[in-house]
């Protein structure tokens, strides 16, 4: 059974850090491009980072550039999102996803999705 399971969300103070994990099962994550998305209440889903399946090319949304880092550990079949300098605007449900495309350009190109993990930034 193909599955992505996120973990690591929670409540963090402004300026703090969190690392989200996304464990894959039922398929080999190494063969896929991976991405992280988030959706805040009342807002559209936002793609925040992606890493290609081939050369490790990464990209980031302007809203998180310089603060978030996407990575993957193929040996553990797991992807990560390291988040730092968090602020209230980062509060959202975060989703991981995997795509057959070398470098997917939108959410429709992702085949597998996790269930989401809540990140709340508040003092």
């Amino acid at each position: 059974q193909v599955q992505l399971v996120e973990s690591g969300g929670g409540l963090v103070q402004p300026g703090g850090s969190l690392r989200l994990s996304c464990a894959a099962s039922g398929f080999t994550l190494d063969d896929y491009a991976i991405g992280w998305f988030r959706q805040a209440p009342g807002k559209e889903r936002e793609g925040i980072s992606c890493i290609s399946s081939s050369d490790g090319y990464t990209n980031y949304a302007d809203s998180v550039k310089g603060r978030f880092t996407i990575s993957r550990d193929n040996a553990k079949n797991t992807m990560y999102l390291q988040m730092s300098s968090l602020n209230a605007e980062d509060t959202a449900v975060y989703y991981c996803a995997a795509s057959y495309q070398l470098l997917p350009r939108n959410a429709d190109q992702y085949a597998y999705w996790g269930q989401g993990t809540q990140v709340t930034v508040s003092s």
Side-chain angles (χ1 to χ4, degrees), residues 23-83:
S25 60
F27 69 105
T28 302
L29 199 57
D30 188 22
D31 296 333
Y32 293 77
I34 57 175
W36 285 94
F37 294 77
R38 68 184 181 185
Q39 187 165 21
K43 295 187 176 181
E44 294 186 354
R45 181 173 51 189
E46 175 188 17
I48 56 176
S49 185
C50 172
I51 184 168
S52 73
S53 60
S54 57
D55 58 3
Y57 172 81
T58 58
N59 61 23
Y60 297 90
D62 288 342
S63 58
V64 306
K65 197 172 295 183
R67 301 187 298 120
F68 290 12
T69 303
I70 189 173
S71 63
R72 64 200 302 165
D73 185 335
N74 293 328
K76 295 182 178 181
N77 218 30
T78 299
M79 56 194 281
Y80 303 96
L81 185 69
Q82 178 67 48
M83 307 185 294

